[in-house]
Amino acid sequence: MNHPLIQPLIESVCNVLSMMTQTPCSTASDGPGPQDIPRERVVGCVSISGDVQAHVRLIFPSETGDALVRRMTGLSEVSAQGVDDALGELCNMIVGSAKSSLSLEHTSLSCPTVLRETGVDDTPADAQTTTTRFKSEAGPFTMVLLQAA
Amino acid sequence: MKVLLVDDSSTIRMIQAQALAKLGFTDIAHANDGVEALAAVAAAPPGMIMLDWNMPNMDGITFLKKYRANGGQAKVIMVTTEAEKARVIEALQAGVNNYIIKPFTPELYAKRIRETLAQKKSA
């Protein structure tokens, strides 16, 4: 059985990217999983605490992250710091919108953090994870929902 | 009118500044969190404040309560992902004049500003 946040998160990903970056996207069966992105990647992380507890990670290959931020800002060149800031805010909007759609009154979100990785999967071995792959005009990316076991 | 943008995301401040410029606002100040915002309103009182809720150091609702307690009269629009009814009520009780839920379109952003500036008095 899927976590109750999964479907709202999927809908929120598509809604936020459409509204803030004018980038249509959809789920994909053949996109990259978290362990399938060997090149440099950018990971946006937001945690939910309270009545519902979960960690959401959005994993963007660098090319996808850069393209999304160019679309979001209208700028042709964005610094790495600017990309991190923008992707963090997109993650914040995505998780916040999903939380709101479930009317979760007694929950709160962490401030978003953004990590730059080179393909190392640091997911705790005992965590329950749900992975959703997306395809978009800006490139593929992946969402991982983690729950403590 | 001076507008103060308070958000820990420089990207969101930039997007808002672009939208405000299209509406004719040219005097725009920036603050990264509630602490910086308190210093900014003390240094140069704005006519309108666009305020994020979740920020490090001091969040938007704490800033708003302090600002109104100190007699701050600017129009305040909350721009946030916090969309639950209880949060909106809390913000209204703290003295917010209008509310924009992220993500937002440029059209909605402009509409909320026009609505707010048309209000007779601040909260």
Side-chain angles (χ1 to χ4, degrees), chain B residues 88-114:
Chain B
V88 176
I89 291 171
E90 182 182 1
L92 290 170
Q93 289 174 338
V96 78
N97 296 90
N98 215 328
Y99 211 94
I100 298 173
I101 296 168
K102 297 175 183 174
F104 52 81
T105 62
E107 293 76 19
L108 178 70
Y109 188 82
K111 180 183 178 187
R112 290 285 179 269
I113 288 174
R114 292 194 189 99

Side-chain angles (χ1 to χ4, degrees), chain A residues 19 85 89 93 99-100 105, chain B residues 9-12 83-84 86 102:
Chain A
M19 196 176 294
D85 180 88
E89 186 60 25
M93 289 185 206
K99 178 173 89 79
S100 296
E105 297 282 357
Chain B
S9 167
S10 59
T11 306
I12 289 298
E84 289 83 4
K102 297 175 183 174

Side-chain angles (χ1 to χ4, degrees), chain B:
Chain B
M1 175 188 287
K2 176 184 279 293
V3 181
L4 175 61
L5 298 176
V6 188
D7 199 304
D8 57 324
S9 167
S10 59
T11 306
I12 289 298
R13 293 201 307 271
M14 185 193 74
I15 289 171
Q16 291 193 68
Q18 290 171 344
L20 287 165
K22 287 180 181 173
L23 295 171
F25 295 94
T26 56
D27 188 0
I28 300 171
H30 294 242
N32 195 54
D33 56 36
V35 174
E36 287 188 12
L38 284 175
V41 298
M48 184 167 65
I49 300 172
M50 311 303 292
L51 182 64
D52 188 18
W53 190 308
N54 293 315
M55 297 179 286
N57 302 320
M58 183 190 292
D59 63 25
I61 198 72
T62 303
F63 160 79
L64 179 59
K65 289 173 181 174
K66 289 178 182 287
Y67 177 67
R68 291 298 190 217
N70 291 337
Q73 293 293 310
K75 305 281 191 184
V76 178
I77 302 178
M78 194 69 87
V79 186
T80 178
T81 60
E82 296 288 350
E84 289 83 4
K85 187 176 176 182
R87 293 294 185 124
V88 176
I89 291 171
E90 182 182 1
L92 290 170
Q93 289 174 338
V96 78
N97 296 90
N98 215 328
Y99 211 94
I100 298 173
I101 296 168
K102 297 175 183 174
F104 52 81
T105 62
E107 293 76 19
L108 178 70
Y109 188 82
K111 180 183 178 187
R112 290 285 179 269
I113 288 174
R114 292 194 189 99
E115 286 173 358
T116 305
L117 294 179
Q119 294 172 5
K120 295 282 185 190
K121 292 193 293 188
S122 65

Side-chain angles (χ1 to χ4, degrees), chain A residues 42-62:
Chain A
V42 188
V43 184
C45 311
V46 174
S47 297
I48 304 172
S49 57
D51 290 348
V52 172
Q53 300 194 26
H55 306 279
V56 180
R57 294 179 180 177
L58 282 140
I59 304 170
F60 303 94
S62 290

